[in-house]
Amino acid sequence: MANSDSGDSVTDRLVRVLETFTPTRTVQTTAEIGRRADLPSSSAHRIVGELVEAGLLERDEERRIRIGMRLWELATRSSHALRLRQAALPFMERVQARVREHTQLAILEQDEALFLERLSAPESGSNVTRVAGRLPLHASSSGLVLLAYADQTLQARVLEQRLTRLTPSTIVDRTALRRKLAEIRTLGHAIAPGYIEEVSTGVAVPLHDETGLVVAALSVVLPRETPTEPPLAELYRAARDIERALGRRR
């Protein structure tokens, strides 16, 4: 792809434009997109215009920009994440109906836990997770499961980074994190009391594909003092059913 005067490629600029949209920032002006994507005004207007013409972005009546349905359509074709979500959803609904707390599905994406689905009851406790939102691997129960079963190169890369403390309970010591990851591999689950929010405990188990590779984490978020054993049993049961739906034979 051709480079701009600043040296970045067309692809780089397109990705930066799309990345300005977040779960909480769904509508923007072209000027706001250009500023957040660090693009000159002329480039922002041209790129946004081309994306609107292609249907990847849309303009509303007030000429604000949002993600277009065409982008959603292309993203979901033959999507591994969509197949995983579809296989998991019936069993996630069962967990949520029995536990009555937030039930979540996450995958590893660019060294973070990316959440594909979250089911919640009106009376569910506090939870910062959003669908299509991300959480750090070292701080969330889902992230810890994904990190524990990731390859050693990724683990080393995460451990080399500065680990952000989200609460006083978040593990930020590298030696302690290594111990936690080893514990997760031994037990087959992660329990993270107060790691993301002091009032909550995350509980997560791994999901394996037909080859035995861990491809996702299934989790619940409980009020801090809630016993974890009954929800954990529901998660294990759901994980077995989801893995069978994905074609795994034990």
Side-chain angles (χ1 to χ4, degrees):
M1 304 290 280
N3 287 350
S4 67
D5 292 340
S6 62
D8 53 352
S9 70
V10 172
T11 301
D12 289 335
R13 284 174 280 164
L14 290 174
V15 170
R16 293 212 308 271
V17 165
L18 295 175
E19 284 183 337
T20 64
F21 293 90
T22 71
T24 56
R25 187 195 302 136
T26 59
V27 179
Q28 307 178 81
T29 66
T30 301
E32 289 169 338
I33 292 171
R35 185 177 69 254
R36 289 171 176 137
D38 193 23
L39 290 171
S41 177
S42 58
S43 297
H45 278 82
R46 176 177 53 80
I47 293 172
V48 168
E50 291 174 355
L51 291 173
V52 168
E53 190 172 327
L56 303 181
L57 296 177
E58 296 175 349
R59 279 196 180 94
D60 64 17
E61 312 79 48
E62 299 177 16
R63 300 194 62 77
R64 296 174 305 176
I65 307 299
R66 66 178 71 246
I67 295 292
M69 290 300 295
R70 178 66 172 164
L71 183 59
W72 172 84
E73 178 188 359
L74 293 172
T76 54
R77 287 181 184 175
S78 303
S79 166
H80 170 72
L82 180 62
R83 173 175 172 260
L84 176 60
R85 178 187 173 277
Q86 288 174 331
L89 194 54
F91 306 107
M92 292 179 65
E93 290 173 344
R94 186 182 69 201
V95 173
Q96 199 279 324
R98 293 181 176 179
V99 177
R100 304 301 296 170
E101 296 293 347
H102 307 284
T103 304
Q104 307 173 154
L105 179 68
I107 60 172
L108 179 65
E109 213 280 322
Q110 294 187 347
D111 295 2
E112 293 178 300
L114 172 64
F115 288 84
L116 305 182
E117 186 57 271
R118 187 190 96 174
L119 305 178
S120 303
E123 66 272 20
S124 298
S126 180
N127 186 9
V128 300
T129 307
R130 297 176 181 271
V131 174
R134 295 168 180 263
L135 287 176
L137 294 177
H138 73 284
S140 58
S141 60
S142 294
L144 286 165
V145 162
L146 295 169
L147 183 59
Y149 292 95
D151 62 67
Q152 292 186 352
T153 301
L154 188 149
Q155 290 185 12
R157 185 164 65 245
V158 171
L159 286 163
E160 287 170 2
Q161 299 170 0
R162 179 179 176 272
L163 301 175
T164 303
R165 186 184 298 278
L166 302 182
T167 75
S169 301
T170 308
I171 296 178
V172 294
D173 177 78
R174 291 174 176 80
T175 300
L177 181 55
R178 288 190 184 93
R179 286 199 300 267
K180 183 70 173 180
L181 298 179
E183 173 189 276
I184 291 166
R185 289 189 294 269
T186 299
L187 298 177
H189 65 261
I191 298 177
Y195 287 18
I196 291 286
E197 292 185 289
E198 283 282 17
V199 297
S200 302
T201 294
V203 182
V205 299
L207 292 177
H208 303 77
D209 66 8
E210 64 275 12
T211 70
L213 183 69
V214 172
V215 292
L218 181 67
S219 66
V220 293
V221 178
L222 310 170
R224 181 70 178 266
E225 302 307 320
T226 301
T228 58
E229 291 80 3
L232 187 56
E234 293 293 340
L235 287 175
Y236 275 129
R237 182 184 175 205
R240 290 193 297 268
D241 290 337
I242 294 168
E243 289 171 351
R244 279 194 289 268
L246 292 173
R248 189 181 189 207
R249 297 293 178 265
R250 294 176 180 270

